[in-house]
Amino acid sequence: MSKIKNIGIIAHVDHGKTTLVDAMLKYAGVFRENQKVIERVMDSNELEREKGITIFSKIASFTYGGYKVNIVDTPGHADFGGEVQRILKMVDAVLLLVDAHEGPMPQTRYVLKKSLELGLKVIVVINKIDRSNINVHKVLDGIFDLFVELEADDSQLDFPVIYASSKEGVAKEEIEEESVSLKPLLEAIIKHIPDTRGDTSAPFRFLVSAIEYDSYVGKIGTGKIHEGVVKKGDSVILIEKDSGIVNFNITKIYSYCGLQKTEVESAQAGDIISIAGTDSIDVGETVADKKNPRPLPVIEIDSPTLAVEFRVNDSPFAGREGQYLTSRHLWDRLQKEIQTNVSIRVEKTSAPDSFKVKGRGELQLAVLIENMRREGYELQLSKPRVIYRQKNNQRHEPIEHTIIDVKDIHVGCVIGKLNLRKGQMVNMSTGSSGYRRLEFYIPSRGLLGYRNEFITDTKGTGVLNHIFYKYEPYRGEIEGRNKGALISLDNGEASAYALYKLSDRGVFFIDPGEKVYAGMIIGAANREADLVVNVCKTKKLTNVRAAGSDEALNLAPAQKFTIEQGLEYIGKDEFMEVTPEHIRFRKKILDHTARKSAK
């Protein structure tokens, strides 16, 4: 049996996972000396590069010390926790990265908890030691306290620690040591991480942890061989989630070599591979030997906490930019998504042109929507709603563990705003450089729409992180958006003259010359009530001229939204219209008179 080690890289967002994988691959000789390698080479998706975060789990491998080492890079953002949960079934140990300045954060706790529950070996890597304001001893104390809080056993508490700088490509066993390479980290992997387990003489069993689609070979399932050996052409059985059985022949087997999938003739227990042969294959299902088809334990994924209504775009501008417009197009695309995204749920509603999509957070849903618009879809979205549960005849709601780092001068404002949103502060500690760290338990619905407000209140200097904590009894009503909307009265083209005359009424979301329709939200009002305005009005032309009457119109730049910001902004009686070229907001009832009657 080949010597194989399977490891996952887990951490909070922006603690340096992907950069560390880059450095490990370089040190292990995966790239040629003269090869030009882009930063964060594992973040191959276009959206990942734009946002600077990992969204999808990915696999690479290298050889070191006579071992084949499979490494799985995972997302660090809380909304993509399902990606972390499904890959932990493929690995035997994890590298837990923690920022040498920030210390353990909400997602650190989440990913460590899931790893300890599965009994995985943990190597702690205190990363970014090249920073000037680090406190590694305090961070290490915080990590140990977290292990104790999560009820780690004695063997798990005896975790090895490596100090590293992903950016500089160095690692060391003691912070005071000198080091010029990642050798101490790779040596620790060989020494402390157990060899992958699996009986090659047992009947073949393989657990599918990821799905992708290839236009030539069809669906491809990726996962770990738990037992046995598999060869190209083998006749096997797929055991589906509902206990259904599908017979098929394996047409392709891929193994990982560096960043590439390489086609191989066979593979054995312990290795992480990809197989093709049936389009019925799905995440969490078992591929097994025909003579002894025993299913492996299913992958448990935490339930969604947020729901958004995806609707067919029926605005006056529908069909101008997109290729895919109908409910059938939407339904087919959402069904394709749930085949690969294990933490998304899709349900039909009573309306034929509307579907309820459930996810882990706004960013996860925003990534799906952004991908759809880039593929040519047009759709409308409702305001996100949290998913409640009934327990002992009482309504329970999802609560988020929220950690906020803000300057001292903004502490009072942040605490006041979160108290109004039913947040309960559980800890406040002094940070460095005039910052305070605030910890809250706050309802998920209390954070909806707060991030933009938070950025404004802290002048862009605050950092907010949150992760699902648990369900608790409903905490009462929370006041919604306290500013009304500026709504277009007519169809037409916005004029600079009209926008200038209305500039004291609020902030605009559109530029001069932009097409608008009646009922479209074109800005945020200064007051609580909605205001219907005519932004198509032009200046009357006369023969009379006077000094100063034709001065230049100085307009403030229009406020533009990302999809995530848009989901936070819209109200209960509004939709967000998303097309390949535009993000617009509108009232559900476009006609002003009908809207007044409905109220």
Side-chain angles (χ1 to χ4, degrees):
M1 179 176 178
S2 301
K3 296 194 293 184
I4 300 172
K5 293 185 184 289
N6 298 322
I7 58 174
I9 316 289
I10 60 174
H12 185 76
V13 65
D14 201 30
H15 278 199
K17 298 180 302 303
T18 306
T19 307
L20 181 65
V21 174
D22 285 359
M24 292 168 69
L25 294 175
K26 287 177 184 176
Y27 183 77
V30 171
F31 308 117
R32 301 188 312 273
E33 289 214 11
N34 63 343
Q35 185 173 347
K36 186 177 179 181
V37 182
I38 59 174
E39 287 187 13
R40 304 195 324 275
V41 67
M42 293 285 278
D43 284 347
S44 53
N45 181 271
E46 184 181 352
L47 268 181
E48 291 178 317
R49 296 213 154 270
E50 289 179 15
K51 292 181 176 291
I53 61 172
T54 301
I55 296 173
F56 308 103
S57 296
K58 299 173 202 69
I59 304 168
S61 75
F62 60 86
T63 55
Y64 183 83
Y67 283 86
K68 177 185 180 183
V69 181
N70 291 314
I71 51 177
V72 187
D73 185 22
T74 66
H77 197 284
D79 286 13
F80 306 107
E83 289 284 308
V84 179
Q85 282 181 274
R86 68 178 174 82
I87 71 96
L88 291 179
K89 291 280 189 177
M90 287 196 286
V91 300
D92 305 297
V94 293
L95 298 184
L96 176 69
L97 267 69
V98 182
D99 189 294
H101 169 65
E102 291 185 350
M105 297 293 280
Q107 182 72 352
T108 312
R109 186 183 194 282
Y110 172 81
V111 294
L112 179 59
K113 179 174 182 286
K114 297 298 181 184
S115 300
L116 295 177
E117 286 173 353
L118 291 171
L120 300 178
K121 178 71 177 178
V122 180
I123 295 180
V124 171
V125 180
I126 298 180
N127 195 29
K128 300 190 180 182
I129 58 172
D130 54 301
R131 295 179 63 173
S132 59
N133 53 352
I134 64 172
N135 189 341
V136 294
H137 300 298
K138 182 180 178 181
V139 168
L140 186 55
D141 289 343
I143 295 169
F144 187 82
D145 291 344
L146 184 57
F147 270 78
V148 173
E149 182 187 340
L150 295 175
E151 301 178 350
D153 59 36
D154 290 343
S155 64
Q156 291 171 328
L157 283 172
D158 187 24
F159 54 83
V161 180
I162 297 292
Y163 303 92
S165 168
S166 303
K167 187 177 178 182
E168 295 183 354
V170 298
K172 54 185 78 173
E173 292 183 346
E174 299 292 338
I175 191 65
E176 298 83 9
E177 292 178 355
E178 291 294 326
S179 177
V180 294
S181 72
L182 281 179
K183 183 177 179 179
L185 174 59
L186 270 65
E187 290 293 335
I189 289 172
I190 301 302
K191 178 181 177 182
H192 296 291
I193 290 179
D195 291 3
T196 189
R197 298 178 295 274
D199 183 1
T200 55
S201 63
F204 173 65
R205 288 203 299 169
F206 168 86
L207 182 66
V208 183
S209 296
I211 290 292
E212 59 183 303
Y213 188 82
D214 185 281
S215 56
Y216 293 100
V217 299
K219 255 183 166 181
I220 300 173
T222 299
K224 178 184 174 183
I225 304 176
H226 286 254
E227 292 176 337
V229 176
V230 64
K231 297 178 182 177
K232 185 177 177 181
D234 279 356
S235 183
V236 293
I237 280 180
L238 173 69
I239 305 172
E240 298 179 315
K241 293 175 184 175
D242 58 1
S243 300
I245 297 293
V246 176
N247 291 287
F248 72 99
N249 293 329
I250 292 178
T251 56
K252 299 281 185 180
I253 302 175
Y254 300 97
S255 182
Y256 288 85
C257 182
L259 295 170
Q260 305 298 320
K261 285 203 301 277
T262 305
E263 189 173 347
V264 295
E265 293 298 313
S266 64
Q268 61 186 12
D271 204 358
I272 295 175
I273 64 166
S274 299
I275 62 173
T278 174
D279 281 346
S280 300
I281 199 165
D282 206 350
V283 172
E285 298 178 341
T286 301
V287 180
D289 183 79
K290 260 189 173 182
K291 298 177 182 176
N292 193 1
R294 293 179 298 127
L296 288 159
V298 297
I299 299 174
E300 297 291 339
I301 302 295
D302 290 343
S303 300
T305 57
L306 206 64
V308 171
E309 193 179 336
F310 283 46
R311 298 175 56 91
V312 170
N313 185 15
D314 61 359
S315 86
F317 291 170
R320 295 189 178 188
E321 299 166 9
Q323 292 177 271
Y324 308 109
L325 314 171
T326 66
S327 59
R328 182 180 61 81
H329 286 139
L330 276 185
W331 176 253
D332 289 347
R333 177 61 179 83
L334 293 173
Q335 290 303 299
K336 179 183 174 185
E337 182 68 22
I338 62 176
Q339 290 179 358
T340 57
N341 195 331
V342 292
S343 54
I344 288 281
R345 307 280 190 275
V346 179
E347 299 173 2
K348 291 185 176 180
T349 66
S350 56
D353 62 348
S354 173
F355 310 105
K356 184 184 288 186
V357 180
K358 299 178 179 179
R360 298 284 284 271
E362 292 159 292
L363 180 58
Q364 184 193 30
L365 293 169
V367 166
L368 168 59
I369 297 161
E370 181 65 38
N371 281 326
M372 289 177 67
R373 74 183 292 214
R374 294 184 183 199
E375 293 165 16
Y377 288 83
E378 286 191 16
L379 64 155
Q380 291 182 147
L381 304 141
S382 70
K383 181 179 178 60
R385 299 190 304 276
V386 299
I387 299 171
Y388 297 106
R389 291 181 181 174
Q390 288 295 125
K391 188 176 180 181
N392 299 326
N393 294 323
Q394 186 180 13
R395 181 162 58 162
H396 283 59
E397 65 176 332
I399 303 295
E400 304 276 331
H401 180 205
T402 304
I403 293 182
I404 296 175
D405 292 305
V406 290
K407 288 184 175 179
D408 291 342
I409 57 174
H410 303 309
V411 167
C413 176
V414 171
I415 292 175
K417 291 286 182 71
L418 290 185
N419 283 342
L420 291 174
R421 292 170 174 266
K422 306 299 181 183
Q424 294 177 355
M425 190 168 74
V426 293
N427 188 34
M428 179 167 65
S429 57
T430 303
S432 59
S433 307
Y435 274 77
R436 295 284 180 108
R437 173 163 289 183
L438 313 176
E439 289 190 50
F440 286 84
Y441 289 124
I442 181 171
S444 298
R445 61 195 170 93
L447 290 174
L448 293 177
Y450 176 65
R451 191 176 294 273
N452 290 333
E453 203 174 318
F454 173 76
I455 292 171
T456 302
D457 291 342
T458 62
K459 307 293 190 291
T461 61
V463 178
L464 186 153
N465 290 286
H466 61 91
I467 191 168
F468 171 72
Y469 174 55
K470 65 178 181 179
Y471 272 81
E472 288 187 352
Y474 183 71
R475 292 189 181 179
E477 291 296 322
I478 296 175
E479 183 181 344
R481 194 175 76 202
N482 58 6
K483 298 292 185 184
L486 297 176
I487 305 165
S488 175
L489 177 65
D490 282 321
N491 303 324
E493 188 176 289
S495 72
Y497 173 77
L499 293 175
Y500 179 74
K501 290 297 182 182
L502 295 166
S503 58
D504 60 341
R505 302 296 181 93
V507 178
F508 287 102
F509 305 156
I510 60 170
D511 294 307
E514 198 165 323
K515 301 284 186 182
V516 298
Y517 55 80
M520 177 176 160
I521 297 171
I522 46 87
N526 289 333
R527 298 182 179 180
E528 292 185 16
D530 290 341
L531 183 63
V532 179
V533 294
N534 183 2
V535 290
C536 303
K537 186 178 180 181
T538 56
K539 185 177 180 181
K540 302 298 182 191
L541 299 178
T542 70
N543 290 326
V544 179
R545 294 290 181 268
S549 63
D550 290 321
E551 71 274 10
L553 304 179
N554 294 318
L555 292 170
Q559 182 179 349
K560 299 298 181 182
F561 288 81
T562 63
I563 289 175
E564 187 184 3
Q565 291 168 338
L567 288 173
E568 289 185 343
Y569 174 77
I570 55 176
K572 293 179 181 178
D573 63 337
E574 298 165 0
F575 287 137
M576 180 168 72
E577 178 188 354
V578 176
T579 71
E581 302 294 334
H582 289 92
I583 296 173
R584 304 183 184 96
F585 306 114
R586 51 159 287 188
K587 289 294 183 181
K588 289 182 178 179
I589 303 174
L590 294 177
D591 182 73
H592 175 52
T593 305
R595 201 162 54 244
K596 287 175 68 176
S597 301
K599 283 188 177 181

